[in-house]
Amino acid sequence: QGQLVESGGGLVQPGGSLRLSCAASKTIFSIHAMGWYRQAPGKPRELVAGITTSGTTNYADSVKGRFTISRDNAKKTMYLQMNSLKPEDTAVYYCNMGVVAPDGFHDYWGQGTQVTVSS
């Protein structure tokens, strides 16, 4: 963790929306597969959404239709738009990027950002 900087988390009421962002904190040459993961207390980390270099996306069944993953290659940034949030979406969200850096290929992780959905 620590190679990517995340932002956008916070407290939101059920039915609300949040947009998470993730940007590389170090010099990178290119980004390959990217994904958003989340981990709730007492549960294992799970893949929420992923996107390949070609743009193919996949989503966990629990978030399909509500979450959208996207990227901005020029800014070396990825996003997760979360709509119609539910209490069960509460978790720490982590971004992951496979990147080519000056010293070779690496699997980068963000520090995590807390998303809490509660009334």
Side-chain angles (χ1 to χ4, degrees):
Q1 297 184 350
Q3 296 88 357
L4 306 176
V5 179
E6 302 180 33
S7 63
L11 175 64
V12 64
Q13 294 184 348
S17 298
L18 287 173
R19 191 190 192 198
L20 307 183
S21 64
C22 174
S25 60
K26 300 179 180 179
T27 299
I28 60 174
F29 296 145
S30 62
I31 302 174
H32 295 270
M34 299 174 286
W36 286 95
Y37 295 74
R38 69 184 181 188
Q39 187 167 23
K43 298 182 179 180
R45 186 174 299 186
E46 64 174 342
L47 177 66
V48 176
I51 184 169
T52 68
T53 301
S54 63
T56 300
T57 60
N58 66 284
Y59 299 90
D61 289 341
S62 59
V63 307
K64 190 173 184 178
R66 299 188 296 119
F67 290 12
T68 303
I69 185 172
S70 62
R71 66 189 180 196
D72 185 326
N73 290 333
K75 296 181 179 179
K76 301 294 188 296
T77 303
M78 61 184 290
Y79 307 91
L80 184 67
Q81 179 66 46
M82 304 185 294
N83 299 326
S84 301
L85 284 162
K86 304 175 180 179
E88 50 263 44
D89 294 320
T90 296
V92 177
Y93 285 71
Y94 300 89
C95 59
N96 172 259
M97 296 185 188
V99 308
V100 177
D103 59 343
F105 184 85
H106 297 278
D107 190 24
Y108 282 175
W109 287 90
Q111 82 283 2
T113 184
Q114 177 70 48
V115 172
T116 301
V117 185
S118 176
S119 60

